[in-house]
Amino acid sequence: MNLKHILLGFLFVGLLWSCQEKVEETQPVEVKADFEYLVDQFADIKILRYQIPGFDELTLKEKQLVYYMTQAGLAGRDIMWDQNYRHNLEIRDALENIFTTYTGDKTTKDWLAFEEYVKRVWFSNGIHHHYSNDKIKPDFKADFLTYLLKETDTQLEGEAFEVIFNDKDAKKVNKKKGVDNIAASAINFYGPTITDADVEAFYKTAYKGPKDRPIEAGLNSTLVRENGKVVEKVWKSGGMYGSAIDEVIKWLEMAQAVAENEKQAKTLGLLIEYYKTGDLNLWDEYCISWATSTEGNIDWINGFIEVYKDPKGYRGSYESIIQVKDFEMSKQMAVLSENAQWFEDNAPLNDSHKKSDVVGISYKTINVAGEAGDASPSTPIGVNLPNNNWIRQEHGSKSVSLGNIIDAYNNAGGSGRLKEFAYDEEEIALEEKYGKLADKLHTALHEVIGHASGVINPGIGQPKETLKNYASTMEEGRADLVGLYYLMDPKLQELGLVDDWQAVGKAAYDGYIRNGLISQLVRIELGNDIEEDHMVNRQWVSAWVYEKGKADNVIEKIEKDGKTYYNINDYAKLRELFGELLREAQRIKSEGDFKAAQDLVEGYGVKVDQALHAQVLERNQQFKSAPYSGFVNPVLVPETNDAGEIVDVKVTQPETFEQQMLDYAKRYSFLD
């Protein structure tokens, strides 16, 4: 599970430390003060760079491991493009050929609109917006694209051409109530005739793994109809996406040869075998080995993992994140995982829904060395894996915070929106002094304690089966609530994580309510509902506690100078309300109560006050900074000797976003 929790630039900055081999030998790693983070800005998007603190201090073997793993991740890049939409690769090839070969006037309004469209498609790994899931609308006409195709001798015909301009496949992922979510979604996880009913019928009888240890059924396949029968086309070597997966395997085998230890090498071997066979039992073996492999300076996320983009919650998007451990920050934050049982025991849950024995949670702050697939260019800031509930309960999980990514966000951000949407100077002062720390702790509590907490009742199916299209937003809201409940707890000061738990808690509560009820609305178009799972969960959490606290004026809606604000009057009571909602969210998950999940999400999380939305958009017009950010990756360049052996790996930075995108298309296009 990942946390795409970028709150319009109000993120924390961590102390960035690293070391070569031993924790005891930690020392500061210099981060270039004059580093230019901003690369480009267009439409609603900023493109940033990030540094890799400590990379130069790694051993040669560690550098080789990082290099091979980043190459493995990039080798599967095109899988994500094809998963997002069936015509994406064809469209991308045509757009890129035009972009690189057109010799006409590049100062016209139409050409500039074309350039922006190409960049937006690159950023979203396809023609649908990375966050809203709406199809991206070009600001040029079909006639102009026809002209460009002719001028550059480029082919793009039929549906692949027409869909850029028409209303077909308008939504990549549609989880709305009352529609056939599969038929209404353009995501390429299902064949064109597959319906919700087909999916539910197929997985009622499909193999689900050993008793009480279910596999993540459907995680690595496309469901299609062949000769009238619904079947899975598995993503594996020799199967669907096989040509790209073979390239992934090639680099993973090189990485295995330079693994830091035997456990790490064994884990990579299991991942390789899984890619070769597509066997989800092997995927579980790999996840167990990976979750319990905690030694070494280098780690990774690689595979078909997060299911947010499947309206039914089965299929995993391809993703890769290569990680270099940040020792000092990891040591500071390890106190959370060490005290996980205390947090579970003291959570405001029904006793039957608590874990009696919380096991194997590891938490690290890491520095990203490279990302691909669903993690790039738009990236999470925190990740907790594996996702399979029984593995988490029996073997534990890993939680990471992406330290250098968060650092880059903070260095590229500003405080203008804070001053516009915060109610008063006290709220602004709390955010400026404690907001970054509050966000850091919320991310950690969300990932380490939140996702790892609670149990599902015996005999109750997995959330994707019981809560269906509400499973993801319910899980993210539940993890958010765990973090919110404990952010206003003196235990954090007792553990040495804060100096003033009340001030940090207030800053966290202010920021969450402000974002959940007001500022996140700048991310959607006027008239639209909220649909992205994380945005939905932030609104249903915030709107529920606002409504339930009205009688006691816990959160006050204030109109001042024609502007709307939400001001918290009683933080202690708000914490109680967060606790009540957490108890209910856990009950819904534990009991598989679909009706209660539907009522909560539809009643509080989806609909938008249109008058407020219009006001927020108007207030936001003064800000030039785009509401969404993403990244180019540093380029790892191997240096070799006469024998072709890698003797060093250097870190360079791409000059432009388009340079990196075109380079990736040239070097990592492995799907026909």
Side-chain angles (χ1 to χ4, degrees), residues 424-434:
D424 55 22
E425 291 301 321
E426 180 183 0
E427 184 176 337
I428 293 170
L430 278 170
E431 173 64 35
E432 290 180 336
K433 186 172 183 179
Y434 298 106

Short mmCIF file of all heavy atoms in Angstrom, two decimals, residues 424-434:
data_model
loop_
_atom_site.label_atom_id
_atom_site.label_comp_id
_atom_site.label_asym_id
_atom_site.label_seq_id
_atom_site.Cartn_x
_atom_site.Cartn_y
_atom_site.Cartn_z
N ASP A 424 -6.46 31.50 10.63
CA ASP A 424 -5.88 32.64 11.34
C ASP A 424 -4.38 32.47 11.50
O ASP A 424 -3.79 31.46 11.10
CB ASP A 424 -6.56 32.84 12.71
CG ASP A 424 -6.52 31.58 13.57
OD1 ASP A 424 -5.65 30.71 13.33
OD2 ASP A 424 -7.35 31.46 14.49
N GLU A 425 -3.76 33.48 12.12
CA GLU A 425 -2.31 33.48 12.29
C GLU A 425 -1.85 32.34 13.20
O GLU A 425 -0.74 31.82 13.03
CB GLU A 425 -1.85 34.83 12.86
CG GLU A 425 -2.00 35.99 11.88
CD GLU A 425 -1.22 35.77 10.60
OE1 GLU A 425 -0.09 35.25 10.67
OE2 GLU A 425 -1.75 36.11 9.52
N GLU A 426 -2.66 31.97 14.17
CA GLU A 426 -2.29 30.86 15.06
C GLU A 426 -2.16 29.56 14.27
O GLU A 426 -1.21 28.79 14.46
CB GLU A 426 -3.33 30.70 16.16
CG GLU A 426 -3.01 29.57 17.13
CD GLU A 426 -4.10 29.36 18.17
OE1 GLU A 426 -5.11 30.11 18.15
OE2 GLU A 426 -3.94 28.45 19.00
N GLU A 427 -3.11 29.32 13.38
CA GLU A 427 -3.06 28.11 12.56
C GLU A 427 -1.85 28.13 11.63
O GLU A 427 -1.17 27.11 11.45
CB GLU A 427 -4.35 27.98 11.74
CG GLU A 427 -4.44 26.71 10.92
CD GLU A 427 -5.77 26.58 10.19
OE1 GLU A 427 -6.77 27.20 10.64
OE2 GLU A 427 -5.81 25.85 9.18
N ILE A 428 -1.56 29.28 11.04
CA ILE A 428 -0.41 29.41 10.15
C ILE A 428 0.88 29.17 10.93
O ILE A 428 1.79 28.46 10.47
CB ILE A 428 -0.39 30.80 9.49
CG1 ILE A 428 -1.58 30.94 8.53
CG2 ILE A 428 0.93 31.04 8.75
CD1 ILE A 428 -1.79 32.35 8.02
N ALA A 429 0.97 29.76 12.13
CA ALA A 429 2.18 29.62 12.94
C ALA A 429 2.41 28.16 13.35
O ALA A 429 3.54 27.67 13.32
CB ALA A 429 2.08 30.50 14.19
N LEU A 430 1.35 27.45 13.71
CA LEU A 430 1.48 26.04 14.06
C LEU A 430 1.97 25.22 12.87
O LEU A 430 2.85 24.36 13.01
CB LEU A 430 0.13 25.50 14.54
CG LEU A 430 -0.25 25.77 15.99
CD1 LEU A 430 -1.72 25.37 16.22
CD2 LEU A 430 0.65 24.99 16.95
N GLU A 431 1.41 25.50 11.70
CA GLU A 431 1.82 24.76 10.50
C GLU A 431 3.29 25.04 10.17
O GLU A 431 4.05 24.11 9.86
CB GLU A 431 0.93 25.14 9.32
CG GLU A 431 1.37 24.56 7.99
CD GLU A 431 1.33 23.05 7.94
OE1 GLU A 431 0.43 22.46 8.56
OE2 GLU A 431 2.20 22.45 7.27
N GLU A 432 3.67 26.30 10.23
CA GLU A 432 5.04 26.65 9.86
C GLU A 432 6.06 26.08 10.83
O GLU A 432 7.18 25.71 10.44
CB GLU A 432 5.18 28.17 9.76
CG GLU A 432 4.43 28.75 8.57
CD GLU A 432 4.56 30.26 8.45
OE1 GLU A 432 4.83 30.92 9.49
OE2 GLU A 432 4.38 30.78 7.33
N LYS A 433 5.71 25.97 12.11
CA LYS A 433 6.65 25.47 13.10
C LYS A 433 6.62 23.96 13.22
O LYS A 433 7.67 23.32 13.37
CB LYS A 433 6.36 26.11 14.47
CG LYS A 433 7.40 25.75 15.52
CD LYS A 433 7.19 26.55 16.80
CE LYS A 433 8.29 26.24 17.82
NZ LYS A 433 8.13 27.04 19.06
N TYR A 434 5.43 23.35 13.14
CA TYR A 434 5.30 21.93 13.44
C TYR A 434 4.74 21.09 12.28
O TYR A 434 4.69 19.87 12.38
CB TYR A 434 4.38 21.72 14.65
CG TYR A 434 4.90 22.34 15.92
CD1 TYR A 434 4.33 23.50 16.44
CD2 TYR A 434 5.96 21.76 16.61
CE1 TYR A 434 4.80 24.07 17.62
CE2 TYR A 434 6.44 22.32 17.79
CZ TYR A 434 5.86 23.48 18.28
OH TYR A 434 6.33 24.04 19.46
#
